Structure formats: C-alpha cells, structure tokens
Coordinates of all heavy atoms in Angstrom, one line a residue:
I1 N -103.8 26.2 -48.7 CA -102.5 26.1 -48.1 C -101.6 27.1 -48.8 O -101.4 27.2 -50.0 CB -101.8 24.7 -48.2 CG1 -102.7 23.7 -47.5 CG2 -100.4 24.7 -47.6 CD1 -102.2 22.3 -47.6
V2 N -101.0 28.0 -48.0 CA -100.0 29.0 -48.5 C -98.6 28.6 -48.1 O -98.4 28.5 -46.9 CB -100.3 30.4 -48.0 CG1 -99.3 31.4 -48.5 CG2 -101.8 30.8 -48.4
E3 N -97.8 28.3 -49.0 CA -96.4 27.9 -48.7 C -95.5 29.1 -48.5 O -95.6 30.1 -49.2 CB -95.9 27.0 -49.7 CG -96.7 25.7 -49.8 CD -96.1 24.7 -50.8 OE1 -95.2 25.1 -51.6 OE2 -96.5 23.5 -50.8
C4 N -94.5 29.0 -47.6 CA -93.5 30.1 -47.4 C -92.4 30.0 -48.5 O -92.5 29.2 -49.4 CB -93.0 30.0 -46.0 SG -92.2 28.4 -45.6
N5 N -91.4 30.7 -48.3 CA -90.3 30.8 -49.3 C -89.2 29.7 -49.1 O -88.2 29.8 -49.7 CB -89.6 32.2 -49.2 CG -90.5 33.3 -49.8 OD1 -91.3 33.0 -50.7 ND2 -90.4 34.5 -49.3
R6 N -89.5 28.7 -48.3 CA -88.6 27.6 -48.2 C -89.4 26.3 -48.3 O -90.6 26.3 -48.2 CB -87.9 27.7 -46.8 CG -88.8 27.5 -45.6 CD -88.1 27.9 -44.4 NE -89.0 27.9 -43.2 CZ -88.9 27.0 -42.2 NH1 -88.0 26.1 -42.3 NH2 -89.8 27.1 -41.2
I7 N -88.6 25.2 -48.6 CA -89.3 23.9 -48.7 C -89.6 23.4 -47.4 O -88.7 23.1 -46.5 CB -88.4 23.0 -49.5 CG1 -88.2 23.5 -50.9 CG2 -89.0 21.6 -49.6 CD1 -87.2 22.7 -51.8
V8 N -90.9 23.1 -47.1 CA -91.3 22.5 -45.8 C -92.2 21.3 -46.2 O -93.2 21.5 -46.8 CB -92.1 23.5 -45.0 CG1 -92.6 22.8 -43.7 CG2 -91.3 24.7 -44.7
H9 N -91.7 20.1 -45.9 CA -92.4 18.9 -46.2 C -93.4 18.6 -45.2 O -93.1 18.2 -44.0 CB -91.4 17.7 -46.4 CG -90.4 17.9 -47.5 ND1 -90.8 17.9 -48.8 CD2 -89.1 18.2 -47.5 CE1 -89.8 18.1 -49.6 NE2 -88.7 18.3 -48.8
I10 N -94.7 18.8 -45.5 CA -95.8 18.6 -44.6 C -96.9 17.8 -45.3 O -97.3 18.1 -46.4 CB -96.4 19.9 -44.0 CG1 -95.3 20.7 -43.2 CG2 -97.6 19.6 -43.2 CD1 -95.8 22.0 -42.8
N11 N -97.3 16.7 -44.6 CA -98.3 15.8 -45.2 C -99.7 16.4 -45.1 O -100.5 15.9 -44.3 CB -98.2 14.4 -44.6 CG -99.1 13.4 -45.3 OD1 -99.5 13.6 -46.5 ND2 -99.6 12.4 -44.6
M12 N -99.9 17.5 -45.8 CA -101.2 18.2 -45.7 C -101.5 18.8 -47.1 O -100.6 19.4 -47.7 CB -101.3 19.2 -44.6 CG -102.6 20.0 -44.6 SD -102.5 21.4 -43.5 CE -102.4 20.6 -41.9
R13 N -102.7 18.7 -47.6 CA -103.0 19.3 -48.9 C -104.4 19.8 -48.8 O -105.2 19.5 -47.9 CB -102.8 18.3 -50.0 CG -103.7 17.0 -49.8 CD -103.4 16.0 -50.9 NE -102.0 15.6 -51.0 CZ -101.4 14.7 -50.2 NH1 -102.2 14.0 -49.3 NH2 -100.2 14.4 -50.3
T14 N -104.8 20.6 -49.8 CA -106.2 21.0 -50.0 C -107.1 19.9 -50.0 O -106.9 18.9 -50.8 CB -106.3 21.9 -51.2 OG1 -105.4 23.0 -51.1 CG2 -107.7 22.4 -51.3
G15 N -108.1 19.9 -49.2 CA -109.1 18.8 -49.1 C -108.8 17.9 -48.0 O -109.7 17.0 -47.6
S16 N -107.7 18.0 -47.3 CA -107.4 17.1 -46.2 C -108.4 17.4 -45.0 O -108.7 18.5 -44.8 CB -106.0 17.4 -45.6 OG -105.0 17.0 -46.6
V17 N -108.8 16.3 -44.4 CA -109.7 16.5 -43.3 C -108.9 16.2 -42.0 O -108.3 15.1 -41.9 CB -110.9 15.5 -43.4 CG1 -111.8 15.5 -42.1 CG2 -111.7 15.7 -44.6
M18 N -108.9 17.2 -41.1 CA -108.1 17.1 -39.9 C -108.9 16.5 -38.7 O -110.1 16.6 -38.7 CB -107.6 18.5 -39.5 CG -107.0 19.3 -40.6 SD -105.5 18.4 -41.3 CE -104.4 18.6 -39.8
S19 N -108.1 15.8 -37.8 CA -108.7 15.3 -36.6 C -109.3 16.5 -35.7 O -108.6 17.5 -35.6 CB -107.7 14.5 -35.8 OG -108.2 14.3 -34.5
V20 N -110.4 16.3 -35.1 CA -111.0 17.3 -34.2 C -110.2 17.3 -32.9 O -109.9 18.4 -32.4 CB -112.5 17.1 -34.0 CG1 -113.0 18.1 -33.0 CG2 -113.3 17.2 -35.3
L21 N -109.9 16.1 -32.4 CA -109.3 16.0 -31.1 C -107.8 16.2 -31.1 O -107.2 16.7 -30.1 CB -109.7 14.7 -30.5 CG -111.2 14.5 -30.3 CD1 -111.4 13.1 -29.7 CD2 -111.8 15.5 -29.3
D22 N -107.1 15.8 -32.2 CA -105.7 15.7 -32.2 C -105.0 16.9 -32.8 O -103.9 17.3 -32.4 CB -105.2 14.5 -32.8 CG -105.5 13.2 -32.1 OD1 -105.6 13.3 -30.8 OD2 -105.7 12.1 -32.7
S23 N -105.6 17.5 -33.8 CA -105.0 18.7 -34.5 C -105.4 20.0 -33.8 O -106.4 20.1 -33.2 CB -105.5 18.7 -36.0 OG -106.8 19.1 -36.1
A24 N -104.5 21.0 -34.0 CA -104.7 22.3 -33.4 C -105.9 22.9 -34.2 O -106.8 23.5 -33.6 CB -103.5 23.2 -33.6
T25 N -106.0 22.7 -35.5 CA -107.1 23.2 -36.3 C -108.4 22.6 -35.7 O -109.4 23.4 -35.5 CB -107.0 22.7 -37.8 OG1 -105.7 23.3 -38.3 CG2 -108.1 23.2 -38.6
G26 N -108.5 21.3 -35.5 CA -109.7 20.7 -35.1 C -110.2 21.2 -33.7 O -111.4 21.4 -33.4
R27 N -109.2 21.4 -32.8 CA -109.6 21.9 -31.5 C -110.2 23.3 -31.4 O -111.0 23.6 -30.6 CB -108.3 21.8 -30.6 CG -107.8 20.4 -30.3 CD -106.5 20.4 -29.6 NE -106.0 19.0 -29.5 CZ -104.7 18.7 -29.1 NH1 -103.9 19.7 -28.7 NH2 -104.3 17.5 -29.0
V28 N -109.7 24.1 -32.4 CA -110.4 25.4 -32.5 C -111.8 25.3 -32.9 O -112.7 25.9 -32.3 CB -109.6 26.3 -33.5 CG1 -110.4 27.6 -33.7 CG2 -108.2 26.6 -32.9
F29 N -112.1 24.4 -33.9 CA -113.5 24.2 -34.2 C -114.3 23.6 -33.1 O -115.4 24.1 -32.8 CB -113.6 23.2 -35.4 CG -113.3 23.8 -36.8 CD1 -112.1 23.5 -37.4 CD2 -114.2 24.7 -37.3 CE1 -111.8 24.1 -38.7 CE2 -113.9 25.3 -38.6 CZ -112.7 25.0 -39.2
A30 N -113.7 22.7 -32.3 CA -114.4 22.1 -31.2 C -114.7 23.1 -30.1 O -115.7 23.1 -29.4 CB -113.6 20.9 -30.6
A31 N -113.8 24.1 -30.0 CA -113.9 25.1 -28.9 C -115.0 26.2 -29.2 O -115.6 26.7 -28.3 CB -112.6 25.8 -28.6
W32 N -115.2 26.5 -30.5 CA -116.0 27.6 -30.8 C -117.2 27.3 -31.7 O -118.2 28.1 -31.8 CB -115.2 28.7 -31.5 CG -114.5 29.6 -30.5 CD1 -115.1 30.5 -29.6 CD2 -113.1 29.6 -30.1 NE1 -114.1 31.1 -28.8 CE2 -112.9 30.5 -29.1 CE3 -112.0 28.9 -30.6 CZ2 -111.7 30.8 -28.6 CZ3 -110.8 29.1 -30.1 CH2 -110.6 30.1 -29.1
L33 N -117.3 26.1 -32.3 CA -118.5 25.8 -33.0 C -119.6 25.3 -32.0 O -119.2 24.7 -31.0 CB -118.2 24.7 -34.0 CG -117.7 25.1 -35.4 CD1 -117.5 23.9 -36.3 CD2 -118.5 26.2 -36.1
P34 N -120.9 25.4 -32.4 CA -121.9 24.8 -31.5 C -121.7 23.3 -31.3 O -121.3 22.6 -32.3 CB -123.2 25.1 -32.3 CG -122.9 26.3 -33.1 CD -121.4 26.1 -33.5
A35 N -121.9 22.8 -30.2 CA -121.6 21.4 -29.9 C -122.4 20.4 -30.8 O -121.9 19.4 -31.1 CB -121.9 21.1 -28.4
E36 N -123.6 20.9 -31.2 CA -124.4 20.0 -32.0 C -123.8 19.8 -33.4 O -124.1 18.8 -34.0 CB -125.8 20.5 -32.2 CG -126.0 21.9 -32.7 CD -126.0 23.0 -31.7 OE1 -125.5 22.7 -30.5 OE2 -126.5 24.1 -31.9
L37 N -122.9 20.7 -33.8 CA -122.3 20.5 -35.1 C -121.1 19.6 -35.0 O -120.8 18.8 -36.0 CB -121.8 21.9 -35.6 CG -122.8 22.8 -36.2 CD1 -122.2 24.1 -36.7 CD2 -123.7 22.2 -37.3
T38 N -120.4 19.6 -33.9 CA -119.2 18.8 -33.8 C -119.4 17.5 -33.1 O -118.5 16.6 -33.2 CB -118.1 19.6 -33.0 OG1 -118.6 19.9 -31.7 CG2 -117.8 20.9 -33.7
R39 N -120.5 17.3 -32.4 CA -120.6 16.1 -31.6 C -120.5 14.8 -32.3 O -119.8 13.9 -31.8 CB -122.0 16.1 -30.9 CG -122.2 15.0 -29.9 CD -123.6 15.1 -29.1 NE -123.6 16.3 -28.3 CZ -124.4 17.4 -28.6 NH1 -125.3 17.3 -29.6 NH2 -124.4 18.4 -27.8
G40 N -121.1 14.7 -33.5 CA -121.0 13.5 -34.3 C -119.6 13.1 -34.6 O -119.2 11.9 -34.5
V41 N -118.8 14.1 -35.1 CA -117.4 13.8 -35.5 C -116.6 13.4 -34.2 O -115.8 12.5 -34.2 CB -116.8 15.0 -36.2 CG1 -115.3 14.7 -36.5 CG2 -117.6 15.3 -37.5
I42 N -116.8 14.2 -33.1 CA -116.0 13.9 -31.9 C -116.4 12.5 -31.4 O -115.5 11.7 -31.0 CB -116.3 15.0 -30.8 CG1 -115.7 16.3 -31.3 CG2 -115.8 14.6 -29.5 CD1 -116.0 17.5 -30.3
D43 N -117.7 12.2 -31.3 CA -118.1 10.8 -30.8 C -117.4 9.7 -31.7 O -117.0 8.7 -31.2 CB -119.6 10.7 -30.9 CG -120.2 11.5 -29.8 OD1 -119.5 12.0 -28.9 OD2 -121.5 11.7 -29.8
S44 N -117.3 10.0 -33.0 CA -116.7 9.0 -33.9 C -115.3 8.8 -33.6 O -114.7 7.7 -33.5 CB -116.9 9.4 -35.3 OG -116.3 8.5 -36.2
E45 N -114.5 9.9 -33.3 CA -113.1 9.8 -33.0 C -112.9 9.1 -31.7 O -112.0 8.3 -31.5 CB -112.5 11.2 -33.0 CG -112.4 11.8 -34.4 CD -111.5 13.1 -34.4 OE1 -110.7 13.2 -33.4 OE2 -111.6 13.9 -35.3
L46 N -113.8 9.4 -30.7 CA -113.6 8.8 -29.4 C -113.9 7.3 -29.4 O -113.3 6.5 -28.7 CB -114.6 9.5 -28.4 CG -114.3 10.9 -28.0 CD1 -115.4 11.5 -27.1 CD2 -113.0 11.0 -27.2
A47 N -114.8 6.9 -30.3 CA -115.2 5.5 -30.4 C -114.0 4.7 -30.9 O -114.0 3.4 -30.7 CB -116.4 5.4 -31.3

C-alpha cells in the first residue's frame, strides 16, 4: 500500500484479502485469471 501526501483513513493493510465479487481489485482478478483459479473462491462467496 502506497499512501499519498494526505491522511486517508481506509480499512486496508498489507495482507488484507479482498472480496472477488465486491471489490474492484477482486473483479479484475475474476475477469482475467483462468476460471479454474478463481472458481473455488467465487463459489465460496456466492454460497
């Protein structure tokens, strides 16, 4: 995480695991990674 020159309070830190379906980060992985890599995590979130 690279912080800018102002204080921005965000509940995210190194090691945080993001949602595949809800976060912008996760959706990029879901869009471009092979489905066999993401399927298990996505199925778990959907369940």
